[in-house]
Amino acid sequence: MWLLIAVSVFVGFLIVLYLASPLITPKPLDLKGVHVLVTGGSSGIGKAIAVEVAQRGANICLLARNKAKLEEAQSEIEKVLVDKNQQKVIHISVDISKDYAAVVQAIQQAEEELGPVVLLVNCAGASVAGSFEDLSLNDFKRMIDINYIGTVHVTRAVIPSMKKNQHGRIVFISSQAGQIGLYGYTAYSGSKFALRGLAEALHMELKPYNVYVTLAFPPDTDTPGFAEEQKSKPEETRLISETAGLFQPSVVASSIIKDVVSGRFFSYAGLDGYMLAAVTCGMSPVTSIMEATQQVACMGIFRIISLFYLDHFDRICRKCKQERSDPSSEKKTS
Ligand SMILES: NC(=O)c1ccc[n+]([C@@H]2O[C@H](COP(=O)([O-])OP(=O)(O)OC[C@H]3O[C@@H](n4cnc5c(N)ncnc54)[C@H](OP(=O)(O)O)[C@@H]3O)[C@@H](O)[C@H]2O)c1
């Protein structure tokens, strides 16, 4: 009897989900011949994303500041094009975080050469790690300027043509530090959490125009940016980050593009990424019944698992504090 009720409730839940408008799944995006604009496309995850879309037949514009790095990345990407006669790769040097007029001009130039942007990948970004008081006030401002304002600038410049054409996808590259606040990331996490609010609100605004947003939460990825961050990482941050392992940019890029093509709102990599996305889903948009069902079914158990992770992280912080106040304690315990 109880089993019958449980099965009926579950089937009813699936029917409601099937009929519910939030679950409209966008049509898969064909990248062949379309203009993909990648900010931060000269390095790390952004460059790997540009390689991935080049292999799917897209025309690509790379946006970053350093011209030498842009040229180098462009020639690397040109080597993997699938149709060298049809595909084009260009680059434009601009600082996305400063002057909005300069960003608008860069987008206009890119659209004149490659047509309207169909996929915008907001990947340009930077990170800084340090305890709250060790970080300068300028670090907080810099994170917001690059990771948030820079993203707003480019997105705002691209949206008019997407809405007009009723066609487009926008990717925001947040971070796992944009899902949970961790020791050392007070400045970085703040800027990456901000992207979530932006992505959720924009998704609701743009959906009626057939423009979809994807919010990606990459794990630690082996890039020049990651290597730079390592230099100033507090011990606590390093030990906590190591729990999730280090991914290759090509793996992260390929999973992001797969999710963008199928129009998913959340994009993540690995088992930890899957768990984090489910446990932090809140009222975020869903784009498939399977995803919604998994979230409903797994949230409770994932919350329990997360408590063990939090306990582990707290122990790391306590141990590091103790070692700092009594450096000899490390030797005593080892
Ligand atoms: N690597 C990781 O472990 C990891 C994990 C989670 C999330 N992420 C995020 O993924 C994104 C890429 O990270 P990454 O590790 O691949 O970094 P990266 O190797 O340092 O590349 C950053 C890119 O952004 C560009 N850029 C930075 N500031 C810019 C600005 N003001 N205007 C225009 N372009 C700018 C850089 O070029 P120029 O310096 O020449 O401008 C470069 O092309 C970032 O948003 C990062 O927060 C990274």
Side-chain angles (χ1 to χ4, degrees):
M1 175 67 178
W2 285 112
L3 184 68
L4 191 67
I5 293 173
V7 171
S8 311
V9 168
F10 189 66
V11 171
F13 162 74
L14 288 180
I15 292 169
V16 169
L17 277 187
Y18 184 71
L19 297 174
S21 71
L23 280 168
I24 293 169
T25 307
K27 282 202 192 108
L29 178 69
D30 183 1
L31 287 167
K32 195 162 174 261
V34 307
H35 179 177
V36 178
L37 189 132
V38 189
T39 75
S42 65
S43 175
I45 298 174
K47 188 164 77 177
I49 286 177
V51 166
E52 182 71 29
V53 296
Q55 289 165 337
R56 289 172 180 244
N59 297 313
I60 301 153
C61 175
L62 310 171
L63 232 64
R65 293 164 304 179
N66 185 302
K67 284 191 183 141
K69 268 169 47 188
L70 278 165
E71 275 161 24
E72 210 178 298
Q74 177 170 337
S75 40
E76 226 176 282
I77 292 153
E78 279 167 345
K79 288 191 191 122
V80 301
L81 298 178
V82 282
D83 185 347
K84 292 197 166 70
N85 295 324
Q86 297 292 324
Q87 281 176 273
K88 258 179 108 177
V89 186
I90 62 168
H91 68 260
I92 299 170
S93 165
V94 65
D95 185 336
I96 61 161
S97 68
K98 297 226 161 91
D99 178 13
Y100 179 58
V103 173
V104 172
Q105 204 185 351
I107 303 298
Q108 269 169 3
Q109 186 191 330
E111 295 203 320
E112 271 161 28
E113 291 196 48
L114 301 180
V117 175
V118 171
L119 168 58
L120 163 63
V121 183
N122 285 298
C123 196
S127 66
V128 61
S131 71
F132 182 68
E133 286 154 291
D134 286 344
L135 293 167
S136 70
L137 288 177
N138 193 48
D139 285 328
F140 286 83
K141 193 173 173 305
R142 194 168 63 86
M143 288 299 102
I144 290 292
D145 283 348
I146 299 176
N147 295 338
Y148 183 72
I149 298 296
T151 299
V152 170
H153 280 164
V154 182
T155 304
R156 201 160 188 272
V158 159
I159 274 179
S161 72
M162 283 191 181
K163 279 174 88 170
K164 190 165 149 251
N165 298 324
Q166 307 243 340
H167 183 40
R169 300 276 162 89
I170 299 170
V171 186
F172 296 110
I173 307 288
S174 177
S175 163
Q176 289 190 340
Q179 295 171 293
I180 37 171
L182 296 172
Y183 190 107
Y185 283 138
T186 48
Y188 181 62
S189 272
S191 68
K192 291 296 187 178
F193 266 77
L195 287 180
R196 176 160 181 165
L198 172 66
E200 287 195 11
L202 199 60
H203 186 274
M204 200 179 275
E205 283 190 25
L206 296 180
K207 205 169 151 185
Y209 295 89
N210 191 35
V211 176
Y212 287 88
V213 171
T214 294
L215 177 63
F217 301 109
D220 276 356
T221 310
D222 193 5
T223 65
F226 179 78
E228 188 58 35
E229 187 200 88
Q230 289 296 96
K231 293 178 189 164
S232 67
K233 243 181 195 173
E235 185 66 355
E236 288 89 336
T237 317
R238 195 181 60 73
L239 292 170
I240 290 170
S241 302
E242 275 174 9
T243 324
L246 187 63
F247 284 64
Q248 286 308 307
S250 58
V251 174
V252 172
S254 141
S255 99
I256 291 171
I257 291 305
K258 201 163 133 257
D259 290 332
V260 170
V261 164
S262 57
R264 290 177 67 130
F265 181 71
F266 276 164
S267 177
Y268 45 80
L271 194 60
D272 284 329
Y274 170 66
M275 193 188 83
L276 260 178
V279 83
T280 62
C281 67
M283 268 188 71
S284 58
V286 265
T287 38
S288 82
I289 293 182
M290 180 67 88
E291 188 187 14
T293 311
Q294 282 172 358
Q295 287 168 350
V296 171
C298 300
M299 212 161 189
I301 184 74
F302 285 170
R303 178 59 179 152
I304 293 171
I305 296 171
S306 80
L307 296 177
F308 287 98
Y309 272 92
L310 288 172
D311 178 58
H312 177 56
F313 298 161
D314 283 344
R315 281 169 198 271
I316 288 174
C317 295
R318 274 200 302 273
K319 186 166 175 279
C320 290
K321 177 179 175 282
Q322 197 184 348
E323 282 168 10
R324 259 196 297 273
S325 52
D326 176 13
S328 64
S329 68
E330 190 181 5
K331 289 188 194 118
K332 275 182 219 155
T333 51
S334 61

